[in-house]
Amino acid sequence: MLIVDRVSKKFNVNGKEKIAVDNVSVKIKKGETVCIVGPNGAGKTTTVKICSGFVSPDSGNVYYDSISLLNRKKYLEKISVLFEGIRSINWALTPLENMEYLSGLRGIKKNKKDIEKYIEMFELGDYKNQQCNSLSRGNQQKVAIACCLCLETDVVFMDEPTLGLDMEISHKIIKILKTYAQTNKKIFVITTHDSDFIEEIADKVLIIEKGKIMFEGSCEKFKTVQNTNTFKEAYLKYRRVI
Amino acid sequence: MKRIITVFLNELKYSFIILNRYRINWMFGLSNLFLSVLFLNLGIKSFGNYVTENVLDLKLTQMIIGLFVFIVIAEGLNNIISKITEAKQSGVLEQIIVNPLGSKYIFVIKFFADFVIVFISIAIIIPLTMIITSKIISFNIYKLIILLIPLLFCTLGVGLILGGATLVFKKLQSATHLMQFLILTLMVIPSYPINPYSFLPITVESMAINKVFSSQISLSFDLVVFLYAHSLAYFILGLLVYSKFEDYAKTKGILGHY
């Protein structure tokens, strides 16, 4: 189980203190996929960055199976993270080389067969020997997600995995991640604005505003509370946009 | 240990892939260095009219050794800063920061993997320099290893301090060209016999290589002990300072800022 225990974080922005994450606590069971939703600047990315050890919290802690985030080496072995905006691949390398390189960077030696499995899963066969800087944005994102998944960690954090992608690629990625999450019993924590993504994949939704969790529950529960048919309508109604 | 070796071999493999992919850049870099040596050689030889043959011989020897030391230090220092900059640009800095081994150790491993490439450059440039200057220096390989280890660790320590600073002060990478002047200054500061200047980084390590290989001093036990203690101190200081900078950047949330 992944436990986020009373995590808080403040930043100093132009001399003013800004609360990014405010006493956030959540428990996520093995096999659960959690989507974090909220307006821009709500603290979604900071929450993921804290849970993945990229930003230090001011207070609170994160545990996976009783391993504390403070026990950095052991904790980080259990997690992988996909940062926003293709910050997770080496653009000078090909998709095949990237998967091999990023696994090797963690001391994991992947054989070609293991890597080919992910190449096939993300339909990257035609581009596997092409440098990533010459791939389309959608294919670069597929490579980044494939690299993240091929580490085969227990917990996967993803920050806006479908941001800026066209509907077709976005749909393909949702399908792949859904199948992967169902068959591998991993914990997925994903920040997103994509309502289709949330409807398809989320077992639990966290709505964050000004660093606080305002709602925690299933997508269905949220729709019932807001008395709407889709998550998009429910969210907009909640935000009083409609 | 097995994991460290896997990471090292992985880094080495990808250093060769990148070297091969951008081999033209590497070859141009080597030819620039080679041209500089040609000019230096002509300069020293033109002074040859005014000095005795022994002095000219010594200057040529020192130039070749100085070049070797300069490549090791300059590449070593540039290595860490450019590795951080390159990791930012190529998109893997975040993955290095969240690596279970710890980013400082990943950069240390990267440094040694890249040093293999630096050594290949040296293995091409130095013999060519010896041919141009008609000055053949016979290296005692054991002495070279004994003196090279402290030079590498001291360079690595300073590189880690500068690399850590790059994580916090983003503009620092644009001032790396100034570092070459700093290196040259540290290389020529009179740091032997041991004096207060000897405690500055790199000074005594580079001076020892130069003076031992140009037969001006012999390699004594006391000198070896001083070199290893000095370089170890800078290496440990480098690891500590890097950690402090990384912790500061993680606390301030500025690691992902470019």
Side-chain angles (χ1 to χ4, degrees):
Chain A
M1 183 183 277
L2 182 79
I3 300 170
V4 182
D5 183 24
R6 289 167 288 164
V7 165
S8 294
K9 182 76 193 171
K10 284 177 196 159
F11 288 120
N12 197 319
V13 183
N14 298 329
K16 283 183 186 168
E17 217 164 55
K18 186 182 179 279
I19 298 169
V21 180
D22 192 0
N23 209 26
V24 164
S25 292
V26 64
K27 288 180 181 175
I28 304 166
K29 286 184 230 149
K30 271 184 189 164
E32 245 181 355
T33 299
V34 174
C35 285
I36 307 178
V37 194
N40 291 330
K44 307 182 295 292
T45 298
T46 308
T47 306
V48 163
K49 282 183 174 174
I50 289 172
C51 293
S52 57
F54 194 68
V55 167
S56 308
D58 291 338
S59 61
N61 205 347
V62 186
Y63 303 89
Y64 174 70
D65 275 359
S66 314
I67 305 166
S68 159
L69 175 63
L70 299 173
N71 188 352
R72 203 170 158 83
K73 188 172 183 279
K74 279 196 169 170
Y75 178 85
L76 292 180
E77 271 174 10
K78 301 289 181 189
I79 69 138
S80 55
V81 55
L82 173 85
F83 290 98
E84 187 200 322
I86 342 155
R87 302 299 316 163
S88 305
I89 52 170
N90 188 325
W91 302 327
L93 301 177
T94 67
L96 263 180
E97 289 166 352
N98 255 299
M99 277 181 237
E100 208 179 14
Y101 174 68
L102 290 166
S103 307
L105 199 61
R106 283 183 164 230
I108 304 163
K109 194 145 177 54
K110 287 267 172 201
N111 61 40
K112 285 266 186 287
K113 209 175 143 191
D114 285 340
I115 291 170
E116 287 286 354
K117 189 175 84 184
Y118 290 93
I119 292 282
E120 208 175 293
M121 189 192 289
F122 284 88
E123 299 170 6
L124 287 163
D126 292 344
Y127 317 101
K128 65 181 180 184
N129 293 316
Q130 202 174 314
Q131 266 178 261
C132 285
N133 52 16
S134 64
L135 295 180
S136 67
R137 168 79 175 83
N139 282 328
Q140 285 177 337
Q141 188 66 359
K142 280 185 184 175
V143 177
I145 298 173
C147 286
C148 185
L149 296 186
C150 91
L151 295 173
E152 294 176 348
T153 54
D154 294 353
V155 185
V156 181
F157 293 101
M158 290 188 174
D159 191 13
E160 312 256 16
T162 56
L163 182 75
L165 301 182
D166 67 45
M167 274 181 359
E168 195 191 331
I169 291 197
S170 186
H171 180 71
K172 272 183 189 166
I173 288 178
I174 293 169
K175 255 176 65 183
I176 294 166
L177 286 179
K178 190 178 177 184
T179 314
Y180 188 86
Q182 281 171 349
T183 49
N184 289 283
K185 296 278 169 218
K186 310 266 184 198
I187 291 176
F188 273 83
V189 180
I190 304 168
T191 73
T192 185
H193 291 285
D194 187 337
S195 54
D196 292 342
F197 192 102
I198 297 160
E199 294 244 28
E200 278 281 339
I201 207 168
D203 297 310
K204 193 191 265 184
V205 177
L206 297 180
I207 296 184
I208 293 191
E209 261 186 59
K210 291 178 183 168
K212 275 188 191 294
I213 294 182
M214 308 305 283
F215 173 85
E216 181 183 345
S218 70
C219 196
E220 289 307 315
K221 187 179 161 190
F222 187 61
K223 287 194 283 189
T224 311
V225 170
Q226 297 298 326
N227 196 23
T228 57
N229 293 322
T230 65
F231 181 82
K232 189 176 181 178
E233 283 173 355
Y235 182 71
L236 292 175
K237 197 173 169 188
Y238 167 78
R239 296 281 301 156
R240 293 180 188 160
V241 176
I242 55 170
Chain B
M1 194 61 193
K2 195 181 159 198
R3 176 176 280 196
I4 291 169
I5 293 168
T6 308
V7 177
F8 175 77
L9 293 175
N10 186 57
E11 279 301 325
L12 194 60
K13 181 178 174 183
Y14 284 93
S15 293
F16 277 108
I17 287 177
I18 298 292
L19 178 72
N20 185 40
R21 204 155 281 165
Y22 300 103
R23 56 187 175 274
I24 303 292
N25 298 9
W26 180 66
M27 282 154 73
F28 271 114
L30 276 188
S31 55
N32 281 346
L33 199 59
F34 186 62
L35 283 174
S36 313
V37 173
L38 268 179
F39 286 125
L40 268 173
N41 178 47
L42 286 172
I44 291 174
K45 287 219 165 143
S46 69
F47 279 113
N49 299 328
Y50 311 103
V51 294
T52 63
E53 205 169 302
N54 282 348
V55 173
L56 178 67
D57 198 46
L58 180 64
K59 288 294 161 206
L60 284 174
T61 308
Q62 286 181 327
M63 182 192 85
I64 296 167
I65 298 162
L67 178 70
F68 168 77
V69 174
F70 180 76
I71 297 174
V72 171
I73 301 170
E75 288 290 328
L77 287 184
N78 262 332
N79 193 325
I80 303 250
I81 297 173
S82 65
K83 282 287 147 195
I84 290 175
T85 312
E86 189 190 299
K88 280 177 191 170
Q89 285 165 353
S90 66
V92 292
L93 180 68
E94 285 84 346
Q95 295 302 325
I96 292 172
I97 299 290
V98 298
N99 192 298
L101 275 179
S103 69
K104 59 177 177 282
Y105 297 114
I106 294 291
F107 285 117
V108 169
I109 294 169
K110 275 177 177 287
F111 173 89
F112 284 109
D114 262 29
F115 187 71
V116 175
I117 308 285
V118 173
F119 212 80
I120 292 171
S121 308
I122 289 170
I124 295 169
I125 284 288
I126 298 296
L128 277 175
T129 313
M130 289 188 197
I131 293 165
I132 298 166
T133 55
S134 319
K135 175 73 202 153
I136 307 297
I137 303 167
S138 55
F139 282 95
N140 177 331
I141 193 77
Y142 299 110
K143 268 189 194 173
L144 181 68
I145 292 169
I146 289 169
L147 290 169
L148 199 57
I149 291 170
L151 178 68
L152 283 179
F153 276 92
C154 193
T155 306
L156 186 51
V158 179
L160 282 168
I161 294 171
L162 294 170
T166 314
L167 292 176
V168 176
F169 307 106
K170 310 290 168 186
K171 306 284 179 199
L172 193 74
Q173 67 214 41
S174 52
T176 47
H177 60 282
L178 290 174
M179 218 164 52
Q180 305 209 339
F181 291 102
L182 180 72
I183 296 166
L184 284 170
T185 313
L186 290 171
M187 279 173 66
V188 296
I189 286 177
S191 56
Y192 192 83
I194 307 300
N195 61 58
Y197 291 130
S198 314
F199 293 92
L200 288 171
I202 296 163
T203 50
V204 71
E205 286 84 1
S206 57
M207 190 64 82
I209 290 187
N210 207 314
K211 288 207 183 288
V212 169
F213 283 99
S214 57
S215 309
Q216 292 180 73
I217 59 167
S218 60
L219 187 60
S220 67
F221 180 73
D222 289 355
L223 178 62
V224 172
V225 170
F226 183 80
L227 288 174
Y228 276 76
H230 183 263
S231 62
L232 194 66
Y234 271 103
F235 178 60
I236 292 168
L237 183 71
L239 288 175
L240 291 173
V241 173
Y242 179 92
S243 295
K244 288 284 170 207
F245 275 124
E246 190 190 339
D247 288 346
Y248 178 81
K250 279 198 293 214
T251 306
K252 292 283 171 191
I254 53 173
L255 269 174
H257 295 182
Y258 304 104

